[in-house]
Amino acid sequence: MRNPVPGHDERLRRPAGIRSLRLGDITVTYVPDGAVRLKPRGWFPDTTDEVWAARPEYLDDSGHLVAGIGGLLVEHGDRALLIDAGYGPQKLPDDPDAPYAGLHGGALLENLAALGRGPEGIEAVAFTHLHVDHIGWAWLPVPGGDRLAFAGADHLVSGPEWARHDLAEEQGTTAGMLAAMAPRVRTVADGEEIFPGVRMVLASGHTAGHASYVITSGGRRLIAFGDALHSPIQIGHPEWPAVVDHDPVASTDVRRRLVAELEKPGTIGFGVHFADVVFGHVRRDGDGPAWRAHPE
C-alpha cells in the first residue's frame, strides 16, 4: 500500500489549523473556517469499495474523507488579499442522500483576527469559484451586525465563472447569495495579475470558470488550485472526477496538467480541502505521482 504522506497518516484524517509559509516577500497563510466530511464513493463515483479498503489512511473513524474549508491569506507588506471566503457561520446536518456530511463553518474571521487581520484590512477577495463553501463570508453579515464582512473589498471572479453563475445555483448557491456579492464583483481575465505576484489562471472543469491562483516570489511559486483537486488521492488518480464537477472530462484534463505543474522544481501546491496537508509538493515514487506535505 502506498502512503501518500509518509509518516503522517493521521494528518489526512483531521482539518488543518492555521498554516503559514513564506515566498520571498510574500507570506501565505491557510485560514480555517470549518470542515466537511465527504462520503468516499459518493464524492468520487468512479472509485470502488476496494479502492478505499486499500487506502484506510485517507478515512476517519466514521469512514469519511475529511476536507477542510477556509481561505488563503496572501500578504505583501501592509497589503492583504484573501483567496476564497469559506462557508461562514452555518451548519448543514447529515443528509443520507448527499455525497457529504457534517458541513460547518464560521471560524474564518476569528482566525483572521488571531493573525492580526480584520476583514476591513482585506483589499480584495479572489474566488476560485462560486460554490457555497467558498463564498460564505462574502454574502453573510458579521455576527451580531448587518454589515457584510468584506464590504470594503473587491470581489474578484473569473469572467466565465460570473457569466455562468446560474450553474452555481444548481449546486446550492442561491440567487440571494450572488445578489449580495454582486455590487462588489469585478471580473478578471485569464493571466491577469490581481495582486503583487498573484495571477489568475483559468482551470475550468469543476465549474465553467473555475480559477487557480499562481503566487510567485523569491524564486518559488505556489498554486492555489481550489476544487480542481479535492483530495490528495487524486494526485495519483486524476481520472477520478468529483460528483459535483460540471464537466468531468475537462476537470480530468485540468488535474493532469496541474499534477505535471506541481512536479516542477520550486513549486508548492495549496489544496484548501486537503485535510491537514494543505501545503505540499508532488513527487514520484514507484507507484507514480503522490502528494508530499510541505515541509515534509
Side-chain angles (χ1 to χ4, degrees):
M1 180 194 310
R2 174 162 52 88
N3 178 359
V5 188
H8 298 286
D9 285 3
E10 73 281 0
R11 294 172 63 176
L12 290 161
R13 302 190 182 112
R14 68 188 186 209
I18 293 172
R19 298 278 188 274
S20 294
L21 61 86
R22 192 156 183 92
L23 304 169
D25 56 2
I26 292 176
T27 299
V28 295
T29 303
Y30 171 60
V31 187
D33 187 53
V36 62
R37 292 178 298 133
L38 306 177
K39 299 174 183 177
R41 288 194 61 194
W43 199 259
F44 298 118
D46 290 348
T47 63
T48 64
D49 289 338
E50 289 74 21
V51 164
W52 299 106
R55 295 164 172 82
E57 68 271 14
Y58 284 100
L59 306 179
D60 67 8
D61 291 342
S62 67
H64 291 85
L65 289 158
V66 175
I69 295 172
L72 184 68
L73 178 66
V74 184
E75 296 175 289
H76 182 271
D78 293 333
R79 300 177 62 184
L81 165 78
L82 185 67
I83 298 174
D84 285 333
Y87 185 58
Q90 308 176 91
K91 184 176 181 179
L92 276 181
D94 289 0
D95 180 348
D97 296 323
Y100 54 84
L103 174 62
H104 69 274
L108 187 134
L109 296 189
E110 179 182 337
N111 284 323
L112 279 174
L115 293 165
R117 286 283 182 187
E120 68 282 352
I122 305 296
E123 67 180 67
V125 183
F127 298 93
T128 56
H129 61 299
L130 296 173
H131 286 172
V132 292
D133 57 324
H134 294 258
I135 66 167
W137 285 104
W139 68 273
L140 286 164
V142 174
D146 56 7
R147 177 180 170 82
L148 296 179
F150 298 103
D154 286 339
H155 289 12
L156 309 179
V157 183
S158 83
E161 183 73 359
W162 190 248
R164 292 306 315 273
H165 59 66
D166 59 300
L167 296 174
E169 294 180 44
E170 296 176 6
Q171 296 291 342
T173 301
T174 69
M177 296 174 189
L178 296 171
M181 293 175 59
R184 284 161 292 280
V185 167
R186 176 169 70 83
T187 57
V188 294
D190 187 26
E192 182 176 339
E193 185 173 71
I194 63 166
F195 189 79
V198 183
R199 290 183 302 110
M200 188 279 283
V201 177
L202 277 176
S204 302
H206 178 64
T207 62
H210 186 280
S212 291
Y213 292 92
V214 180
I215 304 166
T216 305
S217 185
R220 295 194 296 172
R221 66 174 180 165
L222 180 141
I223 303 174
F225 48 77
D227 283 11
L229 294 157
H230 285 88
S231 168
I233 199 170
Q234 289 176 290
I235 297 289
H237 292 278
E239 72 277 12
W240 290 344
V243 68
V244 292
D245 284 353
H246 166 64
D247 185 334
V249 174
S251 72
T252 296
D253 289 342
V254 164
R255 281 188 293 277
R256 288 185 171 128
R257 293 196 301 270
L258 179 58
V259 168
E261 288 297 314
L262 292 170
E263 284 190 79
K264 292 183 178 179
T267 301
I268 301 166
F270 170 72
V272 66
H273 294 314
F274 275 27
D276 197 19
V277 286
V278 291
F279 294 114
H281 313 270
V282 171
R283 298 289 182 263
R284 286 189 177 267
D285 58 23
D287 295 316
W291 187 251
R292 297 287 185 262
H294 176 87
E296 292 188 61

